[in-house]
């Protein structure tokens, strides 16, 4: 039998692995080759790729629009978010970010209720994994911070899974 903590940890590992793979094998390679560039305005431009955060956000939107949308939820949050829609939205997220800044390797966990369902939620530190992340955030005109280094906690991945049967 798998616990909720084991299940949500496995989901978070998969989400972050996809994001890192996209960053290193797609964004970095195509950008270095000059074939594509990363851009927040990727939708309207043929030779532009979404930023890694936009890639993850799009996947989260796809899950949220799926028939199973009430079983899994995820998004990135940050106290220093460039996109103000990504700031911590709940007390759990605000308190969790403060805890992750002190102990980034310890997930923050909790329970919440929404629309008659019970969810198990976890926050995982989202660290700057490459110079591309650091340079983009440090140079962005809307970034509240300009002093990131590789390995710094930039925010968190929030993941929630339903732990009850749908009524």
């Amino acid at each position: 039998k798998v616990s909720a903590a084991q299940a949500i940890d496995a989901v978070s590992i998969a989400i972050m692995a996809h994001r890192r793979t996209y960053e290193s094998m797609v964004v970095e390679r195509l950008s270095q080759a000059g074939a594509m560039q990363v851009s927040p305005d990727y939708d309207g431009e043929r030779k532009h790729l979404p930023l890694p955060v936009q890639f993850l956000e799009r996947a989260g939107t796809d899950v949220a629009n799926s028939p199973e949308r009430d079983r899994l939820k995820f998004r990135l949050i940050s106290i220093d978010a460039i996109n103000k829609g990504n700031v911590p939205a709940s007390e759990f997220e605000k308190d969790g970010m403060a805890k992750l800044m002190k102990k980034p390797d310890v997930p923050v966990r909790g329970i919440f209720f929404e629309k008659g369902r019970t969810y198990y939620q976890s926050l995982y530190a989202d660290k700057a994994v490459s110079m591309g992340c650091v340079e983009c955030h440090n140079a962005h005109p809307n970034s509240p911070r300009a002093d990131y280094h590789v390995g710094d906690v930039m925010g968190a991945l929030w993941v929630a899974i339903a732990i009850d049967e749908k009524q």
Side-chain angles (χ1 to χ4, degrees):
K1 190 172 182 179
V2 175
S3 72
Q6 290 169 318
I8 206 165
D9 287 348
V11 168
S12 74
I13 290 166
I15 290 168
M16 294 308 274
H18 282 84
R19 182 166 172 232
R20 281 190 308 273
T21 300
Y22 173 74
E23 165 70 23
S24 65
M25 296 187 75
V26 177
V27 172
E28 283 186 19
R29 285 182 182 181
L30 290 175
S31 295
Q32 288 172 355
M36 304 287 272
Q37 67 181 31
V38 198
S39 168
D41 303 319
Y42 70 92
D43 273 336
E45 299 293 332
R46 199 174 100 102
K47 288 196 167 195
H48 288 201
L49 297 168
L51 298 165
V53 66
Q54 292 170 314
F55 180 79
L56 192 143
E57 286 171 349
R58 178 62 64 95
T61 298
D62 288 351
V63 169
N65 291 329
S66 76
E68 298 296 322
R69 68 182 153 271
D70 61 341
R71 298 187 69 188
L72 173 67
K73 304 169 186 288
F74 62 90
R75 70 187 192 97
L76 288 173
I77 64 170
S78 176
I79 54 176
D80 296 312
I82 291 172
N83 175 348
K84 297 307 174 202
N86 294 339
V87 297
S90 67
E91 287 305 312
F92 172 80
E93 291 176 1
K94 292 173 189 168
D95 294 343
M97 278 302 312
K99 290 176 183 173
L100 286 176
M101 296 306 285
K102 293 177 185 167
K103 292 184 179 181
D105 296 325
V106 180
V108 179
R109 305 183 188 281
I111 301 283
F112 76 97
F113 306 93
E114 181 179 88
K115 297 179 184 175
R117 301 244 24 206
T118 305
Y119 290 88
Y120 187 77
Q121 62 185 336
S122 288
L123 283 173
Y124 305 88
D126 182 34
K127 297 178 183 177
V129 295
S130 72
M131 278 307 295
C133 299
V134 169
E135 290 168 354
C136 182
H137 278 260
N138 287 346
H140 197 285
N142 296 335
S143 180
R145 274 186 68 180
D147 62 347
Y148 283 113
H149 301 281
V150 171
D152 286 352
V153 174
M154 299 180 88
L157 172 67
W158 172 79
V159 182
I161 58 170
I163 57 172
D164 59 359
E165 293 297 321
K166 190 172 183 179
Q167 302 300 319

